[in-house]
Amino acid sequence: MAEERRQMSRRRFTYYMYVLDEATGKKIGHFSDISQEGFKLDSTNPVQVNRDFRLRVEQTGEISNKSYITFTARAKWCAVDAFDPNTFNVGFQITHMTPVDHDVFEKMFSTYGVPGH
């Protein structure tokens, strides 16, 4: 990336957690990196950029009594992984999340996110 424009700290995501398309129930990928405003997924398929997705993340019960959270996020970029040509890295920006689900997302960020790369 030519210029680093991120304002929020990003963390490696240490828990293997799938992100699903809420409409179809299909797995889009799993978290690899997370910030308070967005995240990066590793995916086996390319994702259409500049498209909004309604997403669902199943919860294990460790950080919330909710069984899942849902939110809308926009795919901002998609690229082939530098080390695995069969994996795509996809950057998402969260565009809408309820306050309750945002609290759970914040707990995911602090519980499973590890500073640095």
Side-chain angles (χ1 to χ4, degrees):
M1 290 178 207
E3 179 184 334
E4 188 64 39
R5 293 178 291 175
R6 297 182 192 134
Q7 300 300 315
M8 304 299 291
S9 68
R10 298 185 75 76
R11 296 180 177 188
R12 283 181 297 115
F13 202 74
T14 60
Y15 193 85
Y16 200 80
M17 190 175 285
Y18 288 118
V19 177
L20 309 172
D21 183 316
E22 174 74 357
T24 65
K26 292 184 179 178
K27 180 177 71 169
I28 293 181
H30 65 273
F31 288 117
S32 61
D33 165 313
I34 188 171
S35 78
Q36 294 173 328
E37 294 182 348
F39 51 90
K40 181 173 77 171
L41 295 182
D42 288 343
S43 178
T44 55
N45 297 304
V47 172
Q48 183 181 346
V49 174
N50 293 322
R51 178 178 163 217
D52 287 348
F53 290 84
R54 186 75 184 148
L55 302 174
R56 176 183 182 118
V57 178
E58 304 289 330
Q59 296 295 305
T60 62
E62 289 180 36
I63 59 173
S64 170
N65 58 2
K66 291 188 73 169
S67 58
Y68 63 89
I69 61 171
T70 59
F71 54 93
T72 304
R74 176 169 293 159
K76 301 297 280 183
W77 57 269
C78 180
V80 174
D81 185 86
F83 302 105
D84 180 358
N86 298 313
T87 299
F88 294 87
N89 303 136
V90 187
F92 283 89
Q93 178 181 20
I94 296 169
T95 57
H96 180 265
M97 186 180 287
T98 67
V100 171
D101 285 350
H102 190 268
D103 287 346
V104 176
F105 190 83
E106 288 279 337
K107 287 178 187 169
M108 287 169 45
F109 174 79
S110 32
T111 303
Y112 302 126
V114 175
H117 283 272

